[in-house]
Amino acid sequence: MEKRQIGRSDLYVSKMGLGCMSLGKEESHARSIIDEAIELGINYFDTADLYDFGLNEEFVGKAIQNRRQDLIIATKAGNRWEEGKEGWTWDPSQSHIQKAVKDSLQRLGTDYIDLYQLHGGTIDDNIDETIEAFEELKKEGLIREYGISSIRPNVIKQYLEKSSIVSIMMQYSLVDRRPEEWFPLIEEHGVSVIARGPLAKGILSDRELDQASSNMKEKGYMSYSFAELAELRAELKKAAPRHSYTEAALQYCLASPAVAAVIPGASKLSQLKQNAAAVHAEPLTKEEAGLLRKISKAGQYEQHRE
């Protein structure tokens, strides 16, 4: 699978990574998906210490043994939780991040993390302290690079100006194009976007829309009503007739030079294989991408702008 550079770093990732949150709590099943992903040429795996309260990291760690050097492992920190207790609290302090990274390293069974990400963030955080924590971990060799996972423009701007982040993970798809407003600024700083949710909870996948949850049928998704989603899918077929829904959705995200990789999740082997095949499809032409922008809503973040 084609690899792309994350920012200006020396991290080169398959243009489709695996978002590991959907792997579930059954180890053999999780292992089968990770094994198949590697067979399909995926070298980029994204997890977080919060996913199933560390269990997800453990599954990833066990699955990558003996081939660690060939893979790019990303995880996240910033949510403080305690084993055996429900819930978690936000804590981007230096002391917490320094402890969290050691816990993640142990669960992953590795002595370094390729991409360590802040799992959220607010403008009220002590951002300088958080940046110092990541910079120290980089100096110590515990992490290779760091980034943030955020859809808050005011937080994103602070990290672009103050830190040496290489990536920003953002929810991005044809039905959530809000990040596009910020792509020029992100690119200007030599930072890459990692697109999570590129299939928008399956709305843009090849499954029938009538299989959507009752909640989605009632409330829709983002700024779209359920009827508008059905209309968009019909228009999508006309705008990109050479592509399946999944192909068009993933290729739309990958068409932006700001995007280093898409990371759809997969709870089944069939989903993983379908997604991997879609990123091998013919890229969208400029005309096709333009038509997809025309039939969809651009949108913008209304909150956290200042």
Side-chain angles (χ1 to χ4, degrees), residues 5-8 166-169 186 190-194 257-261:
Q5 183 181 18
I6 295 184
R8 294 173 181 154
V166 299
S167 65
I168 302 171
M169 182 177 290
I186 292 169
V191 173
S192 287
V193 170
I194 307 300
V259 175

Side-chain angles (χ1 to χ4, degrees), residues 3 14 37 46 53 59 102 143 166 169 187-188 213 295:
K3 292 184 173 61
S14 49
D46 181 86
F53 296 102
F59 286 171
K102 292 172 183 174
I143 66 174
V166 299
M169 182 177 290
E187 286 187 86
E188 182 183 316
S213 67
I295 65 172

Side-chain angles (χ1 to χ4, degrees), residues 135-299:
E135 290 289 350
E136 283 296 320
L137 296 179
K138 196 173 173 182
K139 287 178 186 175
E140 292 172 25
L142 297 179
I143 66 174
R144 292 173 66 187
E145 300 288 354
Y146 67 98
I148 62 172
S149 176
S150 178
I151 57 171
R152 295 183 173 189
N154 54 9
V155 172
I156 289 168
K157 285 188 286 187
Q158 286 289 304
Y159 278 91
L160 287 174
E161 292 169 6
K162 293 183 172 185
S163 76
S164 57
I165 58 170
V166 299
S167 65
I168 302 171
M169 182 177 290
M170 308 176 80
Q171 178 172 291
Y172 177 49
S173 72
L174 193 58
V175 291
D176 186 1
R177 292 175 47 212
R178 295 174 299 171
E180 290 178 355
E181 179 187 2
W182 302 96
F183 282 2
L185 180 65
I186 292 169
E187 286 187 86
E188 182 183 316
H189 283 81
V191 173
S192 287
V193 170
I194 307 300
R196 64 175 176 86
L199 296 175
K201 295 187 176 180
I203 292 166
L204 298 172
S205 73
D206 293 328
R207 77 180 188 188
E208 295 299 322
L209 194 58
D210 60 13
Q211 295 177 20
S213 67
S214 57
N215 185 58
M216 187 175 293
K217 289 178 180 178
E218 181 183 343
K219 297 183 178 179
Y221 181 80
M222 302 302 298
S223 61
Y224 289 82
S225 68
F226 190 72
E228 287 176 320
L229 291 172
E231 183 180 348
L232 176 67
R233 278 171 59 101
E235 289 298 316
L236 190 155
K237 269 300 182 189
K238 297 176 186 176
R242 301 181 305 134
H243 296 84
S244 69
Y245 293 118
T246 302
E247 288 171 355
L250 297 183
Q251 293 295 339
Y252 179 78
C253 293
L254 290 168
S256 171
V259 175
V262 293
I263 53 163
S267 59
K268 300 177 182 177
L269 285 172
S270 57
Q271 291 174 328
L272 174 66
K273 292 175 181 177
Q274 186 178 67
N275 294 343
V279 301
H280 287 300
E282 283 290 316
L284 296 174
T285 64
K286 288 184 179 180
E287 291 75 17
E288 287 170 333
L291 282 172
L292 291 178
R293 282 191 289 272
K294 188 174 180 180
I295 65 172
S296 58
K297 303 176 185 180

Side-chain angles (χ1 to χ4, degrees), residues 59-76:
F59 286 171
V60 172
K62 290 177 182 178
I64 65 172
Q65 296 305 309
N66 304 319
R67 45 193 175 183
R68 171 69 182 93
Q69 68 280 1
D70 301 320
L71 305 176
I72 302 295
I73 305 301
T75 191
K76 310 179 195 75

